[in-house]
Amino acid sequence: LLAGAFAIAAIYVYRLTVAGEAVASDVPVLFQWEDYMEPPFLAQYEKTYGETPAVALYADEDEAFAKMRAGYKPDVMGPCYYEYPRWQEAGLIQPIETDKLTNWNKIAPALRALPGISAGPGKVWFVPHYWGNTSITYRTDLAPEYVGHESWDILFDPKYKGRVAVLEGVDDTVPFIAHMIGVDAYNMTPEEWAKVQAKLKELIGQVRFVSSDNTTLAQGLASGELVAAMSWRIVYATVKAQGVNVAYMEPPGGIFTYVCGLVINKDAKNYDKALALVDSSISDEAAHYTIDTIGDGPANVEQLQKEPDEEFQRLGIPRDVETFLSSGIFQKRLQNKDEIVNAWTEIRAGL
């Protein structure tokens, strides 16, 4: 993480902090996924305050949660909808006043009305930021038998043992593998959870590595080290842009969909600056970058409607947010998540 942090700082020349490192004065720290702390997300804030926010990266939300529980206090964080309630219940976040966000009304009504995000009149716990998919990016030239016959079974195909990868976070990998064996990960019985754990152990015997680092997954696919990787759509978009023969699987039964957002730490150094950083992240400039460069759909649909049809065709996603979310399996909160995290950690360690 530290090496990646210095590399990013060298490329973008803005303040980067490693989680846990102190930042002077009241400059806010954005604790976020690797792709969502780049200059377009900070630009509106910089114009307002004449300073550059600090950013710290996390590989997955379980890592982020553990660091904050241990005392790390960033100002703005970027969990997904299925995760933020755990942060709320842990007393890590505070309500956000929506009338102080200039871009709030640009967010799709369906996203502004997500169940549970309201913190009372004019306040929310969670500001929707973007929406996307979890599926498998695969090399169509290296696994041609899956073209026209797409199946997540490629992860367990003996021919590709040692040439597949999966994501690190339990919110992605556990529901994904559970779905493959007909189990609803969000309502598992103890017996079903035992079956899922057995399948996860089988999975670990197949993979080359487990990683939520988009760059690592994209490089593995581009080089041919990997034939297939569980991934978010950005990995597909990145490798496709390099001219590599890849596709993003959409097997029968649909793929996973998610919404991620922004929250404010209850101990934010400067609440107004934290609000401004949230607002900056959902700006028009940020929204354009989200779909054009990252490949996810921005919650800011006012900007989304200005994007050309070619963008949606390139990514294979609909223009309408509600259509998108209803077309797949919506990622929700896992019950007994701490138990699941511990089990997945042990399985990956070969225990």
Side-chain angles (χ1 to χ4, degrees):
L1 177 61
L2 186 58
F6 283 123
I8 293 169
I11 295 171
Y12 296 114
V13 199
Y14 59 80
R15 184 201 301 261
L16 179 65
T17 178
V18 177
E21 191 176 277
V23 176
S25 69
D26 64 350
V27 174
V29 177
L30 175 63
F31 195 29
Q32 186 58 290
W33 299 95
E34 64 174 302
D35 303 298
Y36 283 91
M37 44 74 225
E38 299 193 21
F41 299 103
L42 313 179
Q44 181 177 302
Y45 176 92
E46 291 173 337
K47 290 174 185 175
T48 301
Y49 284 99
E51 64 186 23
T52 300
V55 296
L57 316 181
Y58 55 79
D60 63 68
E61 292 146 314
D62 300 322
E63 171 198 326
F65 182 71
K67 286 180 177 177
M68 291 187 294
R69 285 287 294 270
Y72 178 51
K73 295 180 179 180
D75 299 278
V76 175
M77 300 86 80
C80 293
Y81 177 66
Y82 52 74
E83 172 68 8
Y84 92 87
R86 185 163 66 139
W87 299 15
Q88 177 190 347
E89 291 167 6
L92 297 174
I93 63 177
Q94 64 175 297
I96 297 169
E97 297 171 87
T98 57
D99 63 351
K100 294 185 178 180
L101 299 175
T102 62
N103 296 305
W104 171 253
N105 289 326
K106 297 178 182 179
I107 295 175
L111 298 181
R112 284 186 274 136
L114 283 171
I117 70 170
S118 174
K123 297 179 180 180
V124 294
W125 293 104
F126 172 93
V127 172
H129 187 192
Y130 60 93
W131 39 277
N133 290 120
T134 306
S135 186
I136 290 175
T137 302
Y138 74 107
R139 287 283 300 265
T140 55
D141 55 338
L142 301 181
E145 70 273 29
Y146 284 92
V147 177
H149 304 88
E150 293 181 343
S151 170
W152 291 344
D153 288 337
I154 194 172
L155 294 176
F156 295 91
D157 192 324
K159 294 193 300 296
Y160 304 122
K161 183 176 182 178
R163 299 187 70 189
V164 298
V166 295
L167 294 167
E168 188 173 359
V170 297
D171 292 292
D172 294 296
T173 300
V174 170
F176 199 101
I177 298 303
H179 181 70
M180 289 184 66
I181 60 173
V183 172
D184 178 0
Y186 306 113
N187 293 286
M188 290 187 288
T189 65
E191 293 75 21
E192 287 173 329
W193 172 223
K195 291 179 182 178
V196 172
Q197 289 180 82
K199 195 67 175 176
L200 288 168
K201 290 177 181 178
E202 182 184 345
L203 176 68
I204 290 301
Q206 283 284 119
V207 301
R208 188 169 189 84
F209 56 79
V210 177
S211 176
S212 292
D213 182 79
N214 293 327
T215 301
T216 300
L217 295 172
Q219 289 175 344
L221 286 162
S223 69
E225 176 188 8
L226 297 176
V227 170
M230 184 188 300
S231 71
W232 301 302
R233 199 173 285 272
I234 183 176
V235 171
Y236 161 71
T238 300
V239 182
K240 182 77 171 176
Q242 296 173 23
V244 180
N245 295 312
V246 290
Y248 199 64
M249 284 193 176
E250 297 196 30
I255 60 180
F256 281 90
T257 62
Y258 58 79
V259 173
C260 295
L262 297 146
V263 297
I264 293 180
N265 195 301
K266 72 174 181 64
D267 296 318
K269 296 184 291 293
N270 184 315
Y271 177 71
D272 288 336
K273 285 189 173 184
L275 276 175
L277 187 50
V278 169
D279 205 24
S280 183
S281 292
I282 57 173
S283 69
D284 292 352
E285 182 178 350
H288 172 69
Y289 184 87
T290 297
I291 189 167
D292 185 62
T293 301
I294 297 177
D296 284 333
N300 178 342
V301 291
E302 194 169 296
Q303 175 61 37
L304 187 67
Q305 295 309 313
K306 300 175 184 176
E307 300 295 335
D309 291 340
E310 290 76 19
E311 285 279 28
F312 300 89
Q313 294 166 3
R314 175 177 67 88
L315 295 169
I317 60 174
R319 186 180 286 274
D320 180 68
V321 180
E322 292 187 59
T323 299
F324 172 85
L325 294 177
S326 63
S327 67
I329 305 154
F330 190 58
Q331 289 183 243
K332 298 179 289 187
R333 186 180 185 183
L334 288 166
Q335 299 177 24
N336 303 317
K337 183 172 179 180
D338 289 341
E339 175 189 342
I340 292 173
V341 169
N342 291 337
W344 176 228
T345 301
E346 291 179 357
I347 289 169
R348 283 160 40 210
L351 301 177

